[in-house]
Amino acid sequence: HDPDAGPAGGRNELLTRWIPLAVAAVSVMLLHPRLLRRMVNTLIGMTGRSHLIQFPTTRNVATVTAGYTLTGMLHGLALFLILRQFSVLPLDLYPVVTGAYYTAGLLGMVAFFAPGGLGVREGVLFMLLPVYTDAGAVVFAAALMRVLTLTAELMLAGAFGLAAKRSADAINSSS
C-alpha cells in the first residue's frame, strides 16, 4: 500500500508518526527526577497516603525505562513481522507499526470500560494501520498479538509462581 494513497493517508501520517513522537518526547521530559517525584507524590497524596521520602535514582529510572523500551521494540517487531507475512512492508515502517501498537496499548490502558483494553487496542490498530497493509491482515495480526501476549504473560506468571513456591519451600525446609 502507498502510505499517501487515499484520504486517510494524511490523517494516519499524523496519528502514526507525529503524535507518537510528541508523546514520546513529553514522556521523556516527564521522567526528569523533579517532575517524576512531583507527579508520583501528587498521585499518592490523592489516595491520602504520605509522600515518598526515598525515590529511585535517575540511573534506576533510566535503566527501567530502557528495559521497557527494549520490550516495546520487540513487541513492535513481532507485530511488524506478522504483518509482513501478508504484504510487503518496507523496514522504514517498523517504527510506525511499533508506535501504532504502543499508542493503541496506551489507549487501551486508559479505557476503564474495557478490561485489559480488550477490543480497544485492536480497534485503534484497525484505525491506524490499514493505510499501510491489508485491513484483514491488521485484524488478524492484532488478534494474534493479543493471544501471544496473553500466552506469554500466563507462561511467565506460571514459571515465576513455581519458582517462588520452590524458593519458599527451600526457605521453610532450612528453618
Side-chain angles (χ1 to χ4, degrees), residues 69-92:
T69 301
L70 178 61
T71 302
M73 292 170 65
L74 292 172
H75 285 168
L77 180 62
L79 178 60
F80 181 76
L81 292 174
I82 292 167
L83 289 170
R84 281 188 72 154
Q85 296 298 306
F86 299 100
S87 64
V88 177
L89 286 178
L91 192 55
D92 69 332

Side-chain angles (χ1 to χ4, degrees), residues 9-95:
R11 179 178 61 90
N12 275 22
E13 178 82 11
L14 175 68
L15 291 173
T16 58
R17 290 185 193 254
W18 299 112
I19 290 176
L21 184 61
V23 168
V26 169
S27 298
V28 168
M29 288 188 302
L30 292 176
L31 290 175
H32 186 278
R34 197 174 307 150
L35 289 173
L36 186 60
R37 181 182 309 238
R38 181 175 289 165
M39 285 185 315
V40 167
N41 280 330
T42 298
L43 290 171
I44 290 173
M46 292 168 68
T47 67
R49 298 178 185 245
S50 60
H51 292 146
L52 292 179
I53 296 169
Q54 286 189 312
F55 206 76
T57 65
T58 301
R59 182 179 180 147
N60 282 348
V61 172
T63 301
V64 170
T65 302
Y68 273 108
T69 301
L70 178 61
T71 302
M73 292 170 65
L74 292 172
H75 285 168
L77 180 62
L79 178 60
F80 181 76
L81 292 174
I82 292 167
L83 289 170
R84 281 188 72 154
Q85 296 298 306
F86 299 100
S87 64
V88 177
L89 286 178
L91 192 55
D92 69 332
L93 285 179
Y94 163 68

Side-chain angles (χ1 to χ4, degrees), residues 101-122 124 146:
Y101 183 72
Y102 272 87
T103 299
L106 289 170
L107 291 172
M109 272 191 247
V110 299
F112 298 109
F113 59 87
L118 187 61
V120 175
R121 181 170 66 187
E122 294 79 7
V124 172
R146 173 70 69 177

Side-chain angles (χ1 to χ4, degrees), residues 123-148:
V124 172
L125 287 172
F126 185 72
M127 283 178 27
L128 298 178
L129 294 178
V131 164
Y132 303 104
T133 189
D134 179 67
V138 173
V139 170
F140 175 79
L144 182 58
M145 284 298 293
R146 173 70 69 177
V147 169
L148 292 174

